Structures are given as C-alpha cells and as structure tokens.
C-alpha cells in the first residue's frame, strides 16, 4: 500500500503563510493524481485542491482560489500546498491523498471516494 506522510502544519496568525508537504513511499507518484483535503472541528472532510498526474491541470475549492497553490515534484515523490493569506476558517487537519486511476479519468476528481491512498494529516491552526 502507498504511504503518504504530511508535514508543515502549525500555528499562524491570520494573514500568514504555510507550506504543506506530502512525501510518498512505495510506487512512484508520476502516474498518480494528487489532492489535499481538510477537516475542520465538527465538520466533514472537504476537498481543497488537486493536481493531475502530469502537473498540468489543477483544481481548487472556491474558498481558497487565489490564496492556495498546489504543486508537485515527481522526482522527489512530493506534493506541496502553498497557503497564503490564511484565515481562521482555514483551521483544520489537512490530508494528502493519491488517485492511481487519474490518468484514465476525463477530469480531476474532487470527492474523497475517488482517492485510494491517504496520509495521517497535519494540523493547521490560524488565530485571529
């Protein structure tokens, strides 16, 4: 089974920035679609951002457009989420996810059911 490990979370003030990293072991990620999800206190896990297997296609939830950027370095087996202009409502545990079937899909999926492998999560807390 693919293993994903997130890092980079922490406590920041509103308006600050963080960069999350997700490092994978096992099969190389070059053919996998990758995504970030988050789960805030008392909320369901929600889609944040995704990137296609070739790095050319990205997707974001409306609430983070213009503030967050997803990227990948396949040679390092790593996916990143750069988060700028953070808001208190961004507070959540952020999870990295991988979709081995993405090259065979017509688009980038944005639901948890479409992602096969998941990391343990990293906490992001944004204070007022």
């Amino acid at each position: 089974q693919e293993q994903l490990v997130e890092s980079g979370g922490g406590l920041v003030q509103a308006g600050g920035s963080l960069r999350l990293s997700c490092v994978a072991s096992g099969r190389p990620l070059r053919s996998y679609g990758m995504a970030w999800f988050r789960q805030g206190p008392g909320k369901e896990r929600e889609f944040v951002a995704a990137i296609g297997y070739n790095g050319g296609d990205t997707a974001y939830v409306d609430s983070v457009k213009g503030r967050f950027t997803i990227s990948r370095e396949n040679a390092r087996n790593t996916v990143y989420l750069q988060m700028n202009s953070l808001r208190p409502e961004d507070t959540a545990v952020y999870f990295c996810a991988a979709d081995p079937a993405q090259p065979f899909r017509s688009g980038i999926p944005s639901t948890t059911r479409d992602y096969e492998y998941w990391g343990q999560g990293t906490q992001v807390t944004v204070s007022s």
Side-chain angles (χ1 to χ4, degrees), residues 8-38:
L11 174 63
V12 299
Q13 293 185 351
S17 298
L18 286 172
R19 189 177 77 160
L20 306 183
S21 298
C22 172
V23 180
S25 62
R27 185 177 180 180
L29 295 180
R30 61 181 179 272
S31 296
Y32 290 17
M34 302 296 298
W36 290 93
F37 290 76
R38 66 186 180 187

Side-chain angles (χ1 to χ4, degrees), residues 69-121:
T69 303
I70 187 171
S71 61
R72 65 192 300 162
E73 295 185 52
N74 287 345
R76 294 181 171 85
N77 237 24
T78 303
V79 179
Y80 304 97
L81 184 67
Q82 178 67 46
M83 305 185 294
N84 299 326
S85 301
L86 284 163
R87 305 166 180 170
E89 53 263 42
D90 295 319
T91 295
V93 177
Y94 283 70
F95 298 89
C96 178
D99 172 24
Q102 195 274 323
F104 306 101
R105 303 182 189 274
S106 60
I108 301 176
S110 59
T111 62
T112 59
R113 301 175 71 91
D114 292 312
Y115 290 87
E116 184 173 349
Y117 303 114
W118 294 83
Q120 292 296 108

Side-chain angles (χ1 to χ4, degrees), residues 12 28 42 46 50-51 110 117 123 126:
V12 299
E46 67 172 348
I51 188 166
S110 59
Y117 303 114
Q123 176 71 47
V126 184

